Amino acid sequence: MMGPSHALSGASVWLAGSWALDHFAGYAQSPLAVAVGATVCAGGALLPDLDLSGKVTRNQGGATVARTFGVFSLFVAEVVEKVSLGVYTATKLSRDPRRTNGHRTLTHTLPFAGLVGWGTTTLCAAYGKWAVVAIVFFMAGLALRGLFDSWAERAGWVIVTLSAGVIAWFTGANLPGDRGYPMLGFAVGVGCVVHLFGDMITKNGVPILWPIPMGRRMWRMVGVPNGMAVKVGGRGETMVLRSIFTVVAVLAVLGMFAPHALRELDLEKWAGG
Ligand SMILES: [Zn+2]
């Protein structure tokens, strides 16, 4: 799937999950907490494609996500791609093909999702609100780039970076500072897993089984059969899937906050009338 679909799927899964927690388990979150979680999950759903490097010296190429913070994130993508390729080459078995590019390897595995989720939680526990602000800044940048790709393309990375800064500042100014924010790491991890599912329904699949060796292969690409695969950037993705994600997201938000808002309106009427 392309960047916008990945970001949208991350946001809608987080919103639907938050609604389910609220509805079935009575776990209610503030609107800000839900918004931060959805933003971070949308950013997390783009994170695995940070392994699509470009030509950093010429400021060219790279995935949507690699261009979020201009040449800085392009450089990070270059490093992530090379490290991924290194891990691939070091762990490949005799039947795994030789590769010269690390895309869709290490960052497209469940251990990676677990690792970045755990890392995020650890950072938040150690540095509290400051870590939250930094992570929200980074993830909001990715989410903006993904969700509003044509705007981001026109506005350029400086504006995207500044907007992410404003979101991070607003979050920092309004979030209570006395907790560990374990939900943030969970949102990053869930986002990565949502990305894997998104790639699994396209033609190439992802090495979801890594590092479990099977049939002298460690990096078996797993996905739906080619006949069922969604065409990247086709109408099935841009029209059908994105519409579904949007409807789910809107319904979840309404489900969480509309009853409350209505009740408030009612009370006002009561008090005023
Ligand atoms: Zn991917």
Side-chain angles (χ1 to χ4, degrees):
M1 294 200 298
M2 302 195 306
S5 319
H6 279 305
L8 207 51
S9 67
S12 83
V13 164
W14 189 260
L15 292 171
S18 298
W19 171 81
L21 269 180
D22 184 10
H23 193 76
F24 297 112
Y27 183 86
Q29 301 175 74
S30 70
L32 179 67
V34 171
V36 168
T39 306
V40 171
C41 197
L46 289 164
L47 201 59
D49 277 351
L50 207 57
D51 66 351
L52 255 176
S53 60
K55 292 208 164 36
V56 66
T57 45
R58 273 182 273 156
N59 195 11
Q60 283 173 345
T64 315
V65 46
R67 307 200 59 91
T68 307
F69 304 107
V71 78
F72 302 103
S73 45
L74 210 53
F75 175 74
V76 173
E78 192 78 37
V79 174
V80 170
E81 190 261 302
K82 292 293 177 290
V83 170
S84 302
L85 182 62
V87 172
Y88 178 88
T89 309
T91 60
K92 83 185 222 14
L93 297 178
S94 58
R95 277 172 168 245
D96 286 312
R98 189 186 292 274
R99 294 187 64 126
T100 53
N101 185 290
H103 178 50
R104 280 204 186 195
T105 57
L106 182 64
T107 61
H108 287 66
T109 62
L110 291 174
F112 175 82
L115 196 72
V116 288
W118 172 80
T120 303
T121 299
T122 308
L123 276 179
C124 292
Y127 300 103
K129 208 163 158 176
W130 289 109
V132 175
V133 169
I135 289 158
V136 167
F137 167 72
F138 183 70
M139 289 301 180
L142 298 188
L144 285 173
R145 181 83 212 197
L147 288 173
F148 310 108
D149 64 326
S150 46
W151 165 78
E153 198 72 55
R154 262 180 289 123
W157 70 270
V158 177
I159 304 286
V160 173
T161 304
L162 288 175
S163 310
V166 170
I167 293 173
W169 169 80
F170 180 82
T171 305
N174 289 286
L175 216 59
D178 52 352
R179 296 180 287 143
Y181 308 104
M183 286 294 258
L184 216 60
F186 190 57
V188 175
V190 168
C192 290
V193 174
V194 170
H195 180 102
L196 298 187
F197 283 117
D199 277 354
M200 278 172 83
I201 60 168
T202 63
K203 215 168 158 192
N204 295 322
V206 293
I208 193 97
L209 293 171
W210 188 85
I212 303 166
M214 274 172 84
R216 275 181 289 161
R217 284 199 71 176
M218 189 83 100
W219 295 92
R220 187 180 296 280
M221 293 294 180
V222 181
V224 298
N226 275 354
M228 283 167 63
V230 173
K231 192 163 162 272
V232 175
R235 286 176 75 84
E237 179 189 330
T238 58
M239 308 290 282
V240 181
L241 283 179
R242 283 185 205 174
S243 305
I244 294 172
F245 295 145
T246 309
V247 169
V248 168
V250 170
L251 286 179
V253 170
L254 287 177
M256 276 184 283
F257 301 116
H260 186 69
L262 284 178
R263 229 176 294 130
E264 247 162 42
L265 274 177
D266 237 27
L267 281 176
E268 268 166 37
K269 234 190 294 166
W270 193 253

